[in-house]
Amino acid sequence: MVEAKVISSLEKVMLTDDYDSFETVKALNAARGERASFQVVIKNAKLGSYSDLKMSVRSKLLHSISIARVGHVPSEMPAYLERSDDDYITKEPGLFPDVLYPIKRTDIVRSGRYYPDTLWFTVDIPADAEPGDYPVCITFTDIKDETKTKVRVVVSVKNAVIDKNDLIFTQWFHCDSIADYFGVKMMSERHWKLIEQFIKTAARTGITMLLTPLFTPPLDTAIGTERPTMQLVRVVKTGEKYTFDFTLLERWVKLCRKYGIEYFEMSHLFTQWGVCACPKIVVNVDGKDEKLFGWHVAAMSDMYKNFLSQFLPALTAELDKLGIADKCYFHISDEPSVSPEKPDYENYLAAKEFVAPLLKGCKIMDALSHVEFYDNGLIEYPVCSTNHLAPFMERDIKERWCYYCCSQGDKVANRFFAMPSYRNRISGVQLYVGDMVGFLQWGFNFYYSANAVHKIDPYVTSDGLRAWPSGDPYSVYPYKGTAIESIRSVVFFEGLQDRMLLKMLEKKIGRDKVLALISELAGGEGTFEEYPKNSKFLVQLHDRVLKMLG
């Protein structure tokens, strides 16, 4: 016989956790059109025994419910020990609950001998659902002796209909990683089918902007090496004249729009961390494809400037033709520094001064942490790391953007394996309080080691071969020709929904009163570094907002 209970989606059930330590959830509240989640944790009543269970789910919301088995993934490096705070589940290597393997209601589920097993239930509440209480009744029947274990939770659907997510949210989408994992040829039809499945999952996780590989993105690539060619623009060179074929770019845009992706993030025009070289660009010269640009060509070489002076006007005309010019953002270089030992600032300045006239009217954004780039006019749309926001918040910036990556593991929110889920979901409240228009995180599906030196299996290696805290390089898993979600992607989406409900309440009572509500429940302002270190605050705020929306 087994025991089972419903628990919050904000719990992470470690294999060694005490089953009795988890609080039972009897009900949860949701707006119409909202996605709600809960977990069912199962254990054998007798230590050392195991059970195979038939599952039965009864609810008027049955066709809106999907189920997954929570899988545990190894982490050799859960945190940077020298600069991480103590708001972690653990900093010790181990197995962490993360991947969500989809299962059917008719599948047999297993309760193991010694450790709890966890199922994840997601309820995509229809926008036209009638307000009211919807019990979800789950029965587990032991195949051996027909004993039954039942759990029940009530999903209380409120009257409000949640608005569409309007955050411009990008997680860098790595097409080569998809091809390498599944062993298919880059840009083959099989590759395009896989790309489509990953785009579909990206949209489900709340992503609204996709990194668009005009040319192979010059990101996370060891100097002198290259990543597999992913180039949406075909280029032909005749003498000093270049011509461009945008057929694949058009296909990409159409595919993104199919799944509701509205914004397009053009791949970086120069190499990462310093603007020292060109991206890898394959060009057809005299009928033969060759790598004309790459690490071997200086960023501000006459050769590359000649190329850009022809390419960028042709590209912007194409974007206008596709009707997405006002939905596009351009990059110069990722995370430039102002260190005296590095020429990043001067290189960035030279690159910006050259490309700006060619991108007149276009938005240029880059992830950076130094306000000097904004103050001196080098960047109009800075994307600042969450632990360096203070000076940027003092400026009157048109669109506020922020990002986090591996370095944001002290005080601020993030989505590492080893962090409690409230530290992930709190981002939604913080993005609202900070009045952020956009958010960036680099690792949607980076299945490589640092600098893409080695391919990795994300089910085995979650930290880029001990390069970053687990949870930084990817948030979805490749699975049977598609991408499946993680606890981290689902919980972050819950945060995006929190943000939208707060924005809806703002329309009703005003921003000042919404901020006052957050402050009241948080016992402070709820900033990026100061926020309640518990799940209770997030649930209370969510439910209070729903009540006030009526």
Side-chain angles (χ1 to χ4, degrees), residues 8 22 42 89-90 99 177 183-184 240 264 269 325 371 400 414:
S8 168
F22 295 104
I42 310 166
I89 297 168
T90 178
V99 60
S177 195
V184 301
E240 293 301 309
F264 300 86
L269 297 174
V371 77
R400 296 196 181 278
N414 213 310

Side-chain angles (χ1 to χ4, degrees), residues 153-188:
V153 63
V154 175
V155 179
S156 183
V157 178
K158 304 306 180 184
N159 187 58
V161 179
I162 193 168
D163 286 347
K164 178 183 176 183
N165 173 37
D166 67 356
L167 182 76
I168 308 177
F169 170 32
T170 178
Q171 274 190 276
W172 285 348
F173 191 97
H174 301 276
C175 295
D176 56 347
S177 195
I178 299 171
D180 274 343
Y181 182 86
F182 287 101
V184 301
K185 183 180 178 181
M186 292 288 292
M187 292 188 285
S188 63

Side-chain angles (χ1 to χ4, degrees), residues 25 27-31 34 36 156 158 425 498 501-502 505 517 521 535-550:
V25 171
L28 57 152
N29 300 306
E34 190 174 0
S156 183
K158 304 306 180 184
R425 181 169 167 177
D498 292 340
L501 291 171
L502 290 167
L505 186 60
L517 173 65
L521 295 179
S535 302
K536 184 179 179 181
F537 161 73
L538 289 165
V539 176
Q540 284 184 330
L541 178 63
H542 174 269
D543 291 355
R544 179 80 76 87
V545 170
L546 279 181
K547 185 176 181 179
M548 294 173 72
L549 285 171

